[in-house]
Amino acid sequence: MLRYLASWKNLAGCTGGLIGLLLHFAGFAGSYWLLVVVGLYGVGALAASPERIILVTAPEEEASLLRTELDALVLRVRGLNVPTEVPPKLAEIAEVLRGMLDRPRELRADPDALHAVTRLVGTDLPLSVQTYLNLPWWYAAARGSGAELVRQLDLLHADAVRVAERFHAADVQRQADHTRYLEDRD
């Protein structure tokens, strides 16, 4: 009950009810003012967008879903008629992304990296590949779309590497610190 009182639906309904009261005091609602107030409350409550329920999944489950999506794309591209440079480039990108997906708790703790990996796996890579595949082969060949896809994959690879470098920076620093510690210990 308290959740509903603080919801957007109730607030929109109250706004509608308030408008109904204003109509009554202005003399437009007549003797049916109560029905107008209740009706406008209902209209406001029904018109408001529902509360979004955010499902919190375990980091391992989230990473597993992303990995499955990534692996499916890599496997799918291997069986398609794409330029010969595409499958190896896509496999390189996938390898970089898997390095982060293999550490789901750390990935969840880094919202920027998680967003970037989710965007790369869920939007950028599939969009690049599917846009190329939507073109007829003769049109893609005439327009040089294969080279465009390779260029897109190069850009996405650079993006994935930048994200991975930021993601693994703490481990690199920890390794360097440990090396200094071992050298100083002697």
Side-chain angles (χ1 to χ4, degrees), residues 63-141:
S64 175
L65 291 172
L66 288 170
R67 180 184 273 281
T68 301
E69 192 174 336
L70 180 63
D71 291 343
L73 180 65
V74 170
L75 188 62
R76 179 173 169 235
V77 167
R78 281 189 198 143
L80 297 174
N81 187 16
V82 294
T84 56
E85 303 94 351
V86 170
K89 285 190 181 292
L90 189 58
E92 286 177 31
I93 296 168
E95 191 60 33
V96 171
L97 295 173
R98 282 186 197 111
M100 292 178 280
L101 291 170
D102 287 343
R103 299 173 57 192
R105 294 204 179 277
E106 292 89 345
L107 185 59
R108 171 73 66 87
D110 186 346
D112 292 335
L114 178 60
H115 173 73
V117 169
T118 303
R119 181 184 34 109
L120 282 162
V121 172
T123 304
D124 294 342
L125 286 170
L127 182 64
S128 292
V129 171
Q130 191 58 51
T131 303
Y132 174 80
L133 294 175
N134 287 343
L135 300 173
W137 69 267
W138 55 269
Y139 187 80

